[in-house]
Amino acid sequence: QVRLAESGGGLVQAGGSLRLSCAASGSLFSLNIMGWYRQPPGKQRELVADISITGITNYADSVKGRFTISGDFAKNTVFLQMNSLKFEDTGVYYCAAKGGAITPGDYWGQGTQVTVSS
């Protein structure tokens, strides 16, 4: 079984920064994509950013230029550096991953709360 564990959430003032971390563990050989979703209060879960094993990244328009995703697939870890945080960034952030051919499937972490005060 595969487990994703997030850390780094917290309370921050608008304009501040947070760095989220996620580590995958368990019966895992490889992951093809790792990324982050978030769920603002009262809204649907949405993709924030992801990165493929080949290094291709994509970001939600709302976070471009402010957030940076990075990953180390050899270590099954992914990070999200969040700068210039806005009140609208508030929500529960979830680490997510897609397995490769050897360990196929979609995997999710338990979520970490990010609260940005205005």
Side-chain angles (χ1 to χ4, degrees), residues 2 12 19-21 25 30 44 47 51 60 75 86 92 96 98-99 111:
V2 176
V12 64
R19 181 176 172 84
L20 305 183
S21 301
S25 61
S30 66
Q44 297 292 322
L47 176 69
I51 182 169
K75 298 180 179 179
K86 304 176 180 179
V92 179
K98 289 185 177 293

Side-chain angles (χ1 to χ4, degrees), residues 38-46 87-93:
R38 69 185 180 189
Q39 187 167 18
K43 298 182 179 180
Q44 297 292 322
R45 188 176 300 185
E46 62 185 8
F87 174 77
E88 294 79 17
D89 295 317
T90 294
V92 179
Y93 283 67

Side-chain angles (χ1 to χ4, degrees), residues 2-56:
V2 176
R3 177 178 295 178
L4 304 182
E6 308 101 328
S7 63
L11 175 64
V12 64
Q13 292 183 332
S17 298
L18 286 172
R19 181 176 172 84
L20 305 183
S21 301
C22 175
S25 61
S27 302
L28 179 66
F29 182 79
S30 66
L31 296 169
N32 283 348
I33 301 173
M34 299 189 73
W36 296 90
Y37 286 72
R38 69 185 180 189
Q39 187 167 18
K43 298 182 179 180
Q44 297 292 322
R45 188 176 300 185
E46 62 185 8
L47 176 69
V48 177
D50 61 25
I51 182 169
S52 73
I53 195 170
T54 62
I56 299 174

Side-chain angles (χ1 to χ4, degrees), residues 62-79:
S62 60
V63 308
K64 288 180 179 178
R66 300 187 298 118
F67 292 9
T68 302
I69 189 169
S70 60
D72 186 340
F73 284 83
K75 298 180 179 179
N76 294 318
T77 57
V78 65
F79 305 92

